[in-house]
């Protein structure tokens, strides 16, 4: 290889000079050029921006992908400039297992039907999570990474150059100071005791030599001062650009919040729809369960309902005869023909909107107040609700019972 010996020697000299200046500054043996207060504030602000951006970026990655192994895999794919393979979300995997279990247990059974309904909702939740992660990665994580890997690297590079320019400037100041001190000493203490012309000539030559050294040091100082001022201006412009970075990150943060809001709104709506479906479906499930349960268990009041709401006086149970309908039980469980108890009713606040599935149910609006009570033989997940002249069954999960 072809080496430039002069350049190599010059670079080595510059490096040695900077190392000496840096060491003397640390030991308090050399003066240091201080930057103005505004420049120092810009430096501190830039460092703070970089540190907090790194922390926010890492924690957001943990929020979007809690699995550390998956994060390492995505990092490797990104560094290799390869597309990250599609990964099934936890919700989608749960939906797959529920669907397979429903097919195994029988999709026509109450449990199988419920598994299918819940599995479908989990699939929709998983898809919404995938969309949210994709949106957050593009609109929020990518700008933060671009700042750390692009703008911040440029700022760090220019700051290192400025630091070197400052060390060169201070080294030139130190050399000029030493040269002036030596020149003054040579001019103030001539060798007058010696009468020989040779010593006088040597003294005059030393004074002229230090004068040349002072001029050379002043010239180098002017050059290094110009380079330092130019580099300081470049670095200052980059540091002032942190304000634009904050504006850009603020916009990205708004987009992240918007994506997160949409994601949670979708999840809430999916779960609300599932809750309504399960509320309607529970009546069918209870009916099937009562048809296969012993008569004694079917006629005993549920323990939960008895503990939370008072029941109307027990109506005598008529023995069930095959082929003969139990008219008394039917009349008790028909909300339109049931009279509320004289005492023991409670007020309840409706938590969510509910659309009645048939004429025996009562449609509900969120935040409205209704009167509720229980009946013997009713499914514990349902109550009788009254609102004015309207009456019907209402699901307990949609209510907040008030004392």
């Amino acid at each position: 290889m072809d080496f430039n010996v002069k350049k190599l020697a010059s670079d080595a000299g510059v490096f040695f000079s900077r190392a000496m200046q840096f060491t003397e500054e640390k030991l308090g043996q050399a003066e240091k050029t201080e930057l103005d207060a505004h420049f120092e504030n810009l430096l501190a602000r830039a460092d703070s921006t970089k540190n907090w951006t790194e922390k926010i970026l890492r924690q957001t990655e943990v929020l979007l992908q809690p699995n550390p192994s998956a994060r390492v895999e995505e990092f490797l794919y990104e560094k290799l400039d390869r597309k990250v393979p599609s990964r099934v979300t936890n919700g989608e995997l749960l939906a797959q297992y529920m669907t397979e279990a429903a097919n195994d247990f029988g999709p026509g059974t109450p449990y199988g039907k419920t598994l299918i309904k819940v599995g479908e909702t989990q699939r929709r939740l998983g898809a919404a999570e995938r969309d949210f992660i994709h949106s957050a990665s593009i609109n929020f994580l990518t700008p933060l990474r671009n700042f750390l890997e692009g703008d911040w690297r440029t700022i760090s590079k220019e700051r290192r150059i400025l630091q070197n320019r400052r060390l060169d400037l201070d080294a030139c100041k130190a050399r000029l100071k030493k040269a002036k001190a030596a020149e003054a000493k040579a001019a103030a203490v001539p060798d007058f005791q010696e009468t020989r012309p040779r010593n006088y000539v040597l003294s005059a030559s030393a004074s002229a030599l230090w004068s040349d050294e002072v001029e050379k040091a002043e010239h180098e100082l002017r050059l290094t001062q110009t380079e330092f001022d130019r580099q300081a201006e470049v670095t200052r412009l980059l540091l002032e650009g942190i304000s634009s970075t904050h504006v850009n990150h603020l916009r990205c943060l708004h987009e992240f919040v918007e994506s997160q809001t949409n994601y949670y709104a979708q999840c809430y709506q999916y779960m609300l729809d599932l809750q309504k479906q399960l509320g309607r479906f529970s009546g069918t499930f209870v009916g099937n369960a009562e048809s296969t349960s012993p008569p004694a268990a079917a006629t005993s009041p549920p323990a939960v309902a008895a503990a939370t709401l008072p029941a109307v006086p027990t109506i005598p149970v008529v023995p069930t005869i095959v082929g003969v309908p139990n008219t008394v039980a039917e009349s008790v469980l028909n909300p339109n023909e049931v009279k509320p108890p004289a005492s023991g009713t409670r007020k309840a606040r409706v938590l969510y909107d509910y659309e009645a599935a048939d004429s025996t149910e009562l449609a509900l609006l969120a935040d409205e107040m209704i009167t509720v009570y229980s009946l013997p033989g009713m499914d514990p997940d349902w109550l009788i609700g009254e609102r004015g002249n309207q009456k019907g069954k209402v699901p307990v999960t949609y209510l907040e019972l008030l004392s």
Side-chain angles (χ1 to χ4, degrees):
M1 297 180 64
D2 185 15
F3 289 99
N4 190 331
V5 180
K6 292 184 179 180
K7 184 177 185 304
L8 184 62
S10 175
D11 293 343
V14 171
F15 175 79
F16 182 72
S17 175
R18 292 171 180 172
M20 285 187 57
Q21 178 65 27
F22 182 80
T23 304
E24 291 177 355
E25 289 177 359
K26 292 298 182 181
L27 297 177
Q29 300 176 359
E31 297 180 358
K32 177 181 177 181
T33 300
E34 299 293 342
L35 302 172
D36 59 85
H38 176 64
F39 200 97
E40 292 289 352
N41 290 335
L42 291 177
L43 290 174
R45 188 186 186 196
D47 291 334
S48 179
T49 301
K50 179 255 184 182
N51 294 334
W52 285 115
T53 300
E54 286 182 337
K55 292 180 180 180
I56 293 174
L57 175 63
R58 287 196 299 266
Q59 194 57 38
T60 306
E61 290 175 340
V62 173
L63 173 67
L64 299 179
Q65 179 52 265
N67 188 344
S69 300
R71 293 201 302 272
V72 172
E73 181 182 355
E74 293 176 357
F75 175 78
L76 294 177
Y77 274 102
E78 180 182 356
K79 291 303 179 182
L80 295 175
D81 197 17
R82 296 179 59 184
K83 183 179 180 181
V84 180
S86 179
R87 185 179 291 106
V88 179
T89 62
N90 294 329
E92 292 172 331
L93 186 59
L94 178 59
Q96 178 183 345
Y97 290 162
M98 286 185 172
T99 303
E100 293 176 356
N103 294 330
D104 190 16
F105 298 147
T109 62
Y111 185 34
K113 290 181 180 179
T114 305
L115 281 173
I116 292 176
K117 292 291 185 182
V118 177
E120 177 62 22
T121 300
Q122 293 300 326
R123 185 192 63 78
R124 298 170 69 186
L125 291 174
E129 180 184 3
R130 182 193 302 276
D131 294 340
F132 167 61
I133 293 176
H134 179 71
S135 176
S137 298
I138 295 178
N139 298 328
F140 189 62
L141 294 183
T142 299
L144 297 185
R145 289 196 190 98
N146 291 340
F147 166 72
L148 294 175
E149 298 176 0
D151 295 346
W152 180 252
R153 288 185 178 180
T154 302
I155 292 175
S156 300
K157 176 183 176 182
E158 298 300 329
R159 287 178 65 176
R160 287 193 297 268
I161 296 176
L162 178 64
Q163 175 72 357
N164 293 334
R165 295 288 183 266
R166 187 195 63 75
L167 292 174
D168 294 340
L169 176 63
D170 290 337
C172 287
K173 289 181 179 179
R175 284 197 297 270
L176 178 61
K177 184 177 180 180
K178 292 179 182 179
K180 286 184 176 181
E183 181 188 23
K185 183 178 180 181
V189 189
D191 191 3
F192 292 108
Q193 297 178 358
E194 296 289 340
T195 57
R196 288 180 297 179
R198 180 175 178 274
N199 292 335
Y200 177 78
V201 172
L202 291 175
S203 178
S205 299
S207 177
L209 181 63
W210 283 115
S211 297
D212 293 340
E213 189 69 22
V214 169
E215 292 180 1
K216 181 179 179 181
E218 289 178 345
H219 177 69
E220 292 180 355
L221 179 61
R222 287 192 295 270
L223 293 179
T224 54
Q225 183 70 54
T226 301
E227 293 178 355
F228 173 78
D229 293 340
R230 184 186 300 111
Q231 185 61 35
E233 184 64 22
V234 172
T235 308
R236 183 191 303 273
L237 292 176
L238 291 175
L239 293 175
E240 290 176 349
I242 293 293
S243 299
S244 300
T245 300
H246 286 186
V247 173
N248 183 37
H249 289 181
L250 175 61
R251 178 184 58 81
C252 296
L253 184 61
H254 278 284
E255 293 180 356
F256 173 73
V257 172
E258 185 69 21
S259 299
Q260 197 171 31
T261 302
N262 294 335
Y263 167 63
Y264 285 120
Q266 287 179 342
C267 293
Y268 172 76
Q269 186 61 45
Y270 293 157
M271 295 308 298
L272 195 62
D273 295 341
L274 176 62
Q275 191 179 41
K276 291 180 180 181
Q277 294 176 8
L278 294 183
R280 298 173 185 174
F281 189 64
S282 62
T284 306
F285 173 74
V286 172
N288 294 338
E290 289 179 352
S291 63
T292 58
S293 60
T299 56
S300 60
V304 177
T308 56
L309 289 174
V312 297
T314 304
I315 299 178
V317 178
V318 178
T320 303
I321 303 175
V322 179
V324 179
N326 191 337
T327 56
V328 175
E330 290 180 355
S331 63
V332 171
L333 296 179
N334 188 352
N336 295 324
E337 299 179 1
V338 171
K339 294 183 179 180
S343 61
T345 60
R346 296 179 64 174
K347 291 291 185 180
R349 185 176 69 87
V350 179
L351 299 176
Y352 320 105
D353 294 344
Y354 177 73
E355 183 179 353
D358 51 46
S359 60
T360 63
E361 297 181 2
L362 179 65
L364 302 175
L365 295 176
D367 295 328
E368 70 173 339
M369 302 294 295
I370 62 173
T371 302
V372 295
Y373 51 89
S374 63
L375 295 176
M378 281 190 65
D379 175 22
D381 293 332
W382 293 80
L383 297 173
I384 299 298
E386 290 188 359
R387 181 182 58 238
N389 297 328
Q390 298 178 336
K391 182 190 305 182
K393 294 188 300 181
V394 293
V396 177
T397 54
Y398 281 66
L399 303 175
E400 177 186 0
L401 300 179
L402 306 178
S403 57

